[in-house]
Every structure is written in structure tokens, then in C-alpha cells.
Amino acid sequence: MDTITKSSHISYRFKEDVEILENEDTIVATSPCNQLKIAHLSPALRHVLMMLSERACSVQGMNEALITAHEESMLATFYRYLSLLIRYQMVYVYAGREDEQIPLATLIPISPSFQHRWADIQANQSYRMSRFAYVRRDEERFQYVESPLSHARLRLDCSVAAGVLYQLGTAVTPVELAQMLPGEDVDNVISVLTLLVMGNFVFPTTHEGRLSEDDDERYMQWDFHDLLFHSRSRMGRHNNMVGGIYRFLHRIPPQPAVKPMSWSVTIPLLRPDMDRLAEVDPGLTAVMEARTSIRDYGDRPMTVAQLGEFLYRVARIKEVSHDGNMYDVTKRPYPNGGSCYEIEFYLTIDRCEGLTPGFYWYDPLSHGLFFIQGPDKDTEKLLSDASRGGFDHPQVVITLAARFQRVSWKYESIAYALILKNVGVIYATMYLVATAMDLAPCALGAGDSDLFTKLSGSDYLKETSVGEFLLGSKRVQTP
């Protein structure tokens, strides 16, 4: 196959926030996050590296500068330094002619694991966009191509880059790609394709137009959203801020530690004697060994006293305090990331002795239930969704809803991941308490978040369901 990549249309330049200091045979590059010192440089190597701080320099231009200085032998060394600077996220790679003011696209490394490898585009080879790649807009006006398979993002600086990307939805050769964009410079089209391949957004296909990811069982078993969520909520494949940085401090007031009451009907619940329970409860080992999911319920439903004890042991607020003048926090029976305690408990009651069927919210501070509404087609749908698969109609469905901004006010990149971890902790707590109480527990894997917002009257973006748990009385086993 003929290689058609045009090196004159691929350029490099230091990022705007990188400061370059030159001293005899040394340069020191400093960014907000890294500092790199490159010493023992020849005058020609130092000159070419300094050129990158002034303007975008094409591969062809950099090669010619070294050849003119009779330092062809230093080309490999130069590109090793260039790759190091790219890995330190100090240098961008541009598509388009170096004399153009605006590039067509910009490849931006976002991880130290980015591998700077030249992409030789073959004339007769077909290429196609990965199913994991996507386009999004940032807070300003730029559009980016990103992928959980990539350690870089590609900024789309001109419409031709977007046009190239659109055509790569199907397998096409570079020749076909250029024909699909007849008004564009062929070399410009190829340069954008080159960056897409360098960034792991586009890959060569087989003769049948398939990508290796289409038939590789490692990729086949990842849904797009799962792999994206994994890559963006863990460090390693992005350069976003991560952790409890209180990013909205002094900008947006934090959500209150205790959800304000919105309903007027209050049903006090039983407060169990915890000292007595500490004496009569089975031991932890016995509870853990007996724990199992049960969706076969007794003829007589669980009682409101049992429900009150369960919620008290699982979800009550023990204490409200202040966290370093940042925001109010609470203490509850289960652990929670940052003591945010963003999870609210809503109950759909079908059968519970002493309690009217309907939809309720649990107030963890006063340990009571607030009646939201009686049974209707929506509560029936929630109950029937929970009994899919031929299981018994649940007696009680506990819906876990997250007040998202309670977590995202403090945490960046990992907020939703923390919420799901908190749901897992709550599931485990509910299983152990229900087992100790000889009730029938079962966590569900999915639920209808829009149905929940309809029932609760909440805003999907502020509070909606992230977990469901079934609870009921155990069927008495006859000998």
C-alpha cells in the first residue's frame, strides 16, 4: 500500500500555559502541573525545540532545520524529546498547514500514558470511527472528540474536521474520504484523519469493514456508557480534577444535610431498644452466612413496627454537625463518602400491616413517614416492575434516590461513582439488618428513574432513583 500522510500538514507547538526557559545547552519547560528539564542539547536541537514555543512547526520543517544544521543523526533524539514533552502534556499536535492561523484540529494529550506514534495513512486501507468515540462541547464553544480508549482528546477547530469525522461513521479509504469532501484540500483531509488515528478514535478496518473491537471479546462485552463511566470516574485516562475540591464553594450554596420536608402527613415509627437488640441479635457471622435474596413472601405481610425497626437500624440520622465551615453533615448507621448522605429513602407500600398502601418518604431525622400519595397506576407499575420474572408481588419497595448536588458540590469526576458505591453500602446494610430481623430482602439491579420523578414530583437532574430494594415477610417453611 502507498503511504499518503503529508508531514507538512502535521505540526507541533507548546501549549499556551507552558513557560520555556533557555540556558546554554538546557531548556526547562514548566506547566501548571509538570516541569521538565532537557540538558546537553546541541545548538540545533535547542533551536528547534525553542521554535515550538513561538509557532506551530511542521514535521517537514523541523526535519529540514536539523538536516540543514547537519544534525540528521539527532532526528531520533529530537523525536524522543518531543514524545516526552507530549507525554508530559506540554505539546499539542495540529492538523493543517503550519502557515494557517487556525488549525483544522488539535490533538491534546490528557494522560501521561499517551503514546506518541506516527500514523502512516495507507491509500488503499479503509478506516472507521470506533464505537466508543464521541463528540461533546466544553463549557466554552469548542467541540471535542473523546474516547475511553484514548489518552488524548481531539479539538475540532474547523468544519472540515467535523466533516471528516462524520464520513468515518462507515469504513472508507482516504481516497474515498477525500472524494466525499470535494471542496476540501486533500492533504488537509488526510491530516485530520492522521490525528484521529494517532488519538485512537479511528482505526483501520478489515476487508469486511469491521474493526478489531467488533470481534474482540474484551471490547464486545463493554457497553459504551459503562466503559466511558469507568474511564472518567477513575484516574489515568483524563486530566480532569478529581476528588473533594469543593468546586462550588462560594458559587452555589450547598444542599442541606437533611432534605427539607415537602409533605404534611406524618406517621411516627417505632424506635427499637438498641441495647436489647445488641443482646438478642444473632452474631455477625451468623447473619452473613444466612444472608440471601428472597422474593417469596409470607401470607401475612410484615408489620409497620418491623418496618420502623428496619428503617431505624438502617437509615436514621444519629447526629447533625458542621464540617469545617464547609457544609452540614450527618452521622447515620452506614458509612458514606464525605459524609454527604445524599441518599433518600422512598417507600412504595403494597402490603404492610398497620400502614395504608401508597407512596411515602422516610424522614431520617424525626424517624417518621410522610405520605405522598395513595396507590394508582404509577405505584402499581413500580410494584409490577419489581416483580418481573414471575416473582411474588413485593410487599414493600424501597427506592433509593440521590440528591446529586449534595455530592457534586464537593466532588469532581467521581461524584456519581461515589453515589453508586454508597448505594452498594446501603444494600449491604439492608441485607444484614433484614436477615437479623428474619425478613425477606432483595436488591434490584435496575429501576425506572423517570417513573420515580413522576411519583415524587422531583427534578430528574436534582433527585431521582439510583437503587431499589424489596422487603417483606418470610414465608413460613412447613416441615
Side-chain angles (χ1 to χ4, degrees):
M1 293 184 179
D2 295 330
T3 300
I4 60 173
T5 304
K6 296 293 185 180
S7 61
S8 61
H9 288 248
I10 302 295
S11 304
Y12 296 81
R13 186 175 184 174
F14 277 109
K15 292 172 59 179
E16 298 85 353
D17 60 359
V18 176
E19 181 183 0
I20 309 297
L21 296 178
E22 182 181 14
N23 182 22
E24 296 182 354
D25 65 346
T26 301
I27 68 166
V28 179
T30 305
S31 73
C33 300
N34 296 299
Q35 185 176 81
L36 183 64
K37 180 180 180 180
I38 304 177
H40 309 298
L41 291 168
S42 68
L45 272 181
R46 191 175 73 253
H47 171 69
V48 174
L49 285 172
M50 290 303 297
M51 284 168 49
L52 299 179
S53 65
E54 300 168 359
R55 59 182 175 84
C57 301
S58 70
V59 174
Q60 180 179 322
M62 293 185 296
N63 290 350
E64 289 177 353
L66 288 173
I67 292 170
T68 301
H70 306 291
E71 291 199 11
E72 297 96 324
S73 61
M74 301 303 293
L75 282 169
T77 301
F78 168 74
Y79 283 105
R80 186 166 65 250
Y81 290 147
L82 183 63
S83 296
L84 187 63
L85 289 163
I86 291 172
R87 194 166 77 242
Y88 272 69
Q89 303 168 56
M90 293 181 173
V91 169
Y92 288 161
V93 189
Y94 296 111
R97 299 181 186 276
E98 64 178 328
D99 56 353
E100 293 176 342
Q101 286 190 333
I102 300 176
L104 303 175
T106 304
L107 188 65
I108 304 170
I110 57 174
S111 160
S113 298
F114 178 77
Q115 297 294 316
H116 175 230
R117 296 191 181 96
W118 186 253
D120 289 325
I121 303 301
Q122 307 295 327
N124 297 320
Q125 170 68 59
S126 292
Y127 296 85
R128 189 176 187 183
M129 183 176 172
S130 166
R131 72 179 178 91
F132 294 104
Y134 63 97
V135 178
R136 72 171 184 90
R137 181 185 64 81
D138 68 357
E139 292 79 5
E140 303 300 329
R141 64 176 184 86
F142 292 108
Q143 295 186 65
Y144 293 88
V145 185
E146 296 184 351
S147 169
L149 302 181
S150 179
H151 292 276
R153 62 171 58 98
L154 185 74
R155 190 175 68 209
L156 304 177
D157 297 305
C158 285
S159 59
V160 59
V164 170
L165 192 67
Y166 173 77
Q167 299 299 341
L168 288 165
T170 57
V172 294
T173 66
V175 174
E176 293 169 335
L177 185 60
Q179 291 172 347
M180 292 172 176
L181 300 163
E184 304 297 343
D185 182 281
V186 174
D187 291 340
N188 279 345
V189 171
I190 302 304
S191 69
V192 174
L193 175 60
T194 301
L195 293 200
L196 287 166
V197 174
M198 289 175 68
N200 280 353
F201 308 111
V202 168
F203 295 94
T205 70
T206 64
H207 293 300
E208 293 77 25
R210 296 180 63 80
L211 299 177
S212 59
E213 68 186 40
D214 297 330
D215 302 304
D216 188 324
E217 63 180 27
R218 297 173 302 162
Y219 298 106
M220 291 167 64
Q221 296 179 77
W222 275 102
D223 282 334
F224 163 77
H225 61 279
D226 285 335
L227 189 55
L228 176 60
F229 176 52
H230 175 64
S231 69
R232 289 302 183 266
S233 59
R234 306 284 298 175
M235 292 182 288
R237 296 201 170 192
H238 64 86
N239 57 0
N240 303 325
M241 296 294 291
V242 175
I245 62 173
Y246 295 94
R247 57 187 177 138
F248 293 108
L249 183 65
H250 307 310
R251 294 174 56 195
I252 301 173
Q255 290 290 307
V258 181
K259 179 182 170 73
M261 293 180 292
S262 303
W263 303 282
S264 58
V265 179
T266 306
I267 303 170
L269 293 172
L270 169 73
R271 292 176 179 266
D273 184 340
M274 299 302 288
D275 292 333
R276 185 188 69 82
L277 289 175
E279 294 177 358
V280 303
D281 259 357
L284 177 62
T285 301
V287 171
M288 292 189 69
E289 290 299 308
R291 184 218 58 79
T292 187
S293 294
I294 301 172
R295 300 181 70 168
D296 183 25
Y297 305 107
D299 294 329
R300 182 176 178 181
M302 65 183 296
T303 67
V304 67
Q306 289 175 308
L307 182 61
E309 178 183 330
F310 176 84
L311 290 170
Y312 189 85
R313 297 174 68 170
V314 169
R316 78 186 187 279
I317 291 177
K318 296 181 176 181
E319 179 184 323
V320 180
S321 60
H322 207 61
D323 176 28
N325 298 319
M326 293 292 187
Y327 63 163
D328 288 337
V329 297
T330 62
K331 184 177 180 181
R332 310 191 192 194
Y334 59 90
N336 177 274
S339 294
C340 295
Y341 287 103
E342 75 288 352
I343 302 297
E344 301 293 330
F345 288 63
Y346 290 82
L347 289 78
T348 305
I349 306 296
D350 184 54
R351 291 180 298 145
C352 181
E353 191 174 291
L355 198 59
T356 301
F359 189 65
Y360 296 79
W361 171 67
Y362 172 64
D363 178 1
L365 187 61
S366 65
H367 185 55
L369 291 177
F370 284 76
F371 180 79
I372 300 175
Q373 69 162 69
D376 64 4
K377 61 181 179 61
D378 291 325
T379 59
E380 178 55 34
K381 184 176 189 309
L382 191 150
L383 291 164
S384 62
D385 285 350
S387 60
R388 284 179 182 172
F391 295 102
D392 283 359
H393 216 52
Q395 295 175 5
V396 176
V397 177
I398 301 175
T399 301
L400 305 179
R403 290 190 291 142
F404 302 112
Q405 285 75 26
R406 177 73 186 158
V407 183
S408 60
W409 185 84
K410 175 180 179 180
Y411 291 98
E412 186 164 354
S413 294
I414 61 172
Y416 193 68
L418 279 180
I419 290 170
L420 296 187
K421 289 170 184 174
N422 293 335
V423 169
V425 169
I426 294 171
Y427 277 174
T429 304
M430 291 197 291
Y431 263 116
L432 295 178
V433 171
T435 302
M437 293 179 62
D438 202 31
L439 296 173
C442 183
L444 297 183
D448 188 334
S449 294
D450 281 293
L451 177 61
F452 167 80
T453 57
K454 185 178 181 182
L455 280 165
S456 64
S458 61
D459 185 321
Y460 189 93
L461 298 178
K462 291 183 177 180
E463 180 190 18
T464 193
S465 57
V466 290
E468 290 78 22
F469 195 90
L470 312 184
L471 194 65
S473 61
K474 285 177 66 174
R475 183 176 296 279
V476 177
Q477 301 296 324
T478 56

